[in-house]
Amino acid sequence: MYEIEVVIAISAVLAGWYFLGSYQNRKLTSKVWSAVLEQMEEFASEMAARELGGSAFIAVAKGTRSPFRRIEMAYTSLPREILINYLISKAMGRRDLLSVVADFNTTPKGERTLKDFPDLAVDALSLRIQGGNPNLRIIMSAEQVLNGSLERILSAVRAACSSGLC
């Protein structure tokens, strides 16, 4: 008897959630992009980005400064638009992520990980410097980017390169 009302109510909740989740993703993506632009000023003269919907972007640094030859980034948000997918992603421990890959002007002399930079332990989820391409891989959460961690990490990597790593 009330089945149609339940179906309509669930449909209304899911439709409302879609618009709310989409708005949240666009807002968060915009904040992350602004933070990336601000933190990259020291390392590149400009950033070019391609938006992938309102929940992701790919960015390439132009006019990179030493020791970097190339810096590229990819950002993805959780699927907030679809309630079930969002809840499953949260339950699995997933996050909004920024992935950074870079190459240095010279090949690094050895490998380094986040363990080798103890001051950066709270600034990244993962960091790896290696001889192969790309030379640098960083994975960060959106919260870390918004807290200024991208600039701190790239500055620490630049200092390590100046100290003989690169």
Side-chain angles (χ1 to χ4, degrees):
M1 183 161 146
Y2 295 104
E3 295 87 6
I4 192 75
E5 288 85 2
V6 170
V7 169
I8 290 171
I10 291 172
S11 298
V13 167
L14 293 176
W17 184 268
Y18 176 83
F19 290 107
L20 179 64
S22 180
Y23 173 76
Q24 287 176 334
N25 267 355
R26 286 183 187 281
K27 190 174 175 182
L28 180 60
T29 301
S30 177
K31 283 182 183 180
V32 169
W33 176 242
S34 296
V36 164
L37 286 176
E38 183 179 310
Q39 294 174 55
M40 286 298 295
E41 287 178 353
E42 187 177 334
F43 305 99
S45 58
E46 81 178 84
M47 294 291 295
R50 184 170 59 138
E51 189 176 314
L52 304 172
S55 302
F57 63 79
I58 295 175
V60 177
K62 296 185 178 187
T64 55
R65 297 184 180 97
S66 188
F68 302 103
R69 179 172 35 115
R70 173 184 70 96
I71 303 174
E72 296 178 4
M73 301 175 191
Y75 172 77
T76 57
S77 294
L78 290 174
R80 287 180 178 81
E81 298 93 343
I82 303 168
L83 179 59
I84 304 289
N85 289 359
Y86 177 65
L87 294 175
I88 291 170
S89 294
K90 290 296 278 186
M92 293 174 68
R94 293 188 178 161
R95 302 178 181 188
D96 305 301
L97 294 177
L98 177 72
S99 174
V100 180
V101 294
D103 286 323
F104 300 121
N105 291 326
T106 59
T107 303
K109 299 171 183 127
E111 292 191 9
R112 301 287 190 279
T113 63
L114 192 55
K115 294 177 200 171
D116 299 311
F117 297 92
D119 295 344
L120 302 177
V122 298
D123 289 327
L125 301 173
S126 170
L127 181 145
R128 182 172 183 85
I129 298 173
Q130 61 187 12
N133 289 337
N135 299 139
L136 173 67
R137 288 182 186 273
I138 305 167
I139 298 176
M140 312 170 64
S141 69
E143 294 83 18
Q144 291 168 326
V145 175
L146 295 174
N147 288 332
S149 294
L150 178 61
E151 184 174 14
R152 284 192 295 275
I153 291 170
L154 293 177
S155 294
V157 167
R158 181 173 55 198
C161 278
S162 297
S163 298
L165 177 62
C166 303

